[in-house]
Amino acid sequence: MSEFALIPVLDLKGGAVVHAKGGKRADYRPIETPLGDARDPLGLAQALIALTQSPVLYVADLDAIEGTGNHFDLCRELADVLLDTTLWIDAGFGDLSDCAFWLPLGTTLVIGTESVVSLEDWNDLKLNIGNSLVLSIDVGRDGFQGPQNIFTSSELWPHRVIAMNLPRVGTGEGPDLDLLQNIVARAGACDVYAAGGVRNISDLDAIASLGGKGALLATALHDGSISQNEIAAFLRRRRSQ
């Protein structure tokens, strides 16, 4: 993905696509969207990909993250049907044993720092899985979530990093540009993606201006705040710069 990446997000809970908002996962409910039925994750995934023309789909398995089950079979169906799309799967991976069950899917695994217990676990993941990983640097209401030395040791980051503000997810508060700037400044050659709170095309311009390589999108796509025409115009503008 050499150009700015608009990555749609599919949040799964109890077999349905839900509206992730504010990081309060117990309160997430099936999403109401003109793009399709919350009980048809595959149909919504196809609609989101068509809307964004993205080669990547981010799938958050909230049941797996919360330890109440998983959507492995659904993710396998997504991988089988969406042949031209790379899946980034976030399923609460904390160590190599968590990942082993999912590796046969051949997808990219997102490691959220909120799920990692120690720097040793992270180093083990990076050593054994390498470029098939994306690191999500998670920030909550109380600051950075996870082992502090992962946040401070940018030389240990993989080549793709997400600056994730969990409380801003689905709120329309705008992206955490301070977090993004902090991560980009220390990321070296890593590609950094913003996540949480993106409202409109102006937010995407702000992310790009700070060196972000892309953004995760959900609510703004479902409520029409970012339209297909706006996306096409934004990408044309980025390519010409």
Side-chain angles (χ1 to χ4, degrees), residues 228-239:
Q228 190 168 32
N229 287 341
E230 287 178 312
I231 288 171
F234 170 80
L235 293 176
R236 283 197 301 270
R237 188 168 70 253
R238 294 300 308 165
R239 293 185 191 113

Side-chain angles (χ1 to χ4, degrees), residues 8-149:
V9 177
L10 201 69
D11 292 291
L12 301 175
K13 180 179 178 181
V17 179
V18 296
H19 182 198
K21 186 174 182 180
K24 299 178 180 179
R25 293 172 179 139
D27 297 333
Y28 292 176
R29 297 293 180 266
I31 195 163
E32 296 181 6
T33 172
L35 300 179
D37 188 334
R39 295 286 172 182
D40 179 17
L42 177 57
L44 273 180
Q46 292 171 317
L48 288 168
I49 292 166
L51 178 59
T52 58
Q53 296 300 302
S54 175
V56 173
L57 176 69
Y58 187 111
V59 181
D61 186 338
L62 300 168
D63 289 349
I65 291 171
E66 293 293 293
T68 60
N70 66 68
H71 293 83
F72 179 86
D73 289 340
L74 175 54
C75 289
R76 180 169 54 193
E77 181 182 6
L78 290 169
D80 288 344
V81 174
L82 305 175
L83 296 178
D84 296 324
T85 304
T86 299
L87 299 186
W88 288 11
I89 295 181
D90 179 357
F93 306 115
D95 57 34
L96 195 58
S97 63
D98 290 340
C99 296
F101 179 69
W102 294 80
L103 286 174
L105 288 182
T107 58
T108 297
L109 304 185
V110 178
I111 311 300
T113 57
E114 67 166 345
S115 299
V116 179
V117 174
S118 69
L119 180 62
E120 289 73 23
D121 286 335
W122 165 246
N123 284 334
D124 193 30
L125 284 162
K126 190 166 182 285
L127 176 66
N128 285 278
I129 303 179
N131 287 337
S132 292
L133 291 182
V134 175
L135 176 65
S136 178
I137 296 176
D138 299 331
V139 172
R141 289 175 177 80
D142 299 322
F144 174 72
Q145 306 292 295
Q148 186 67 29
N149 43 14

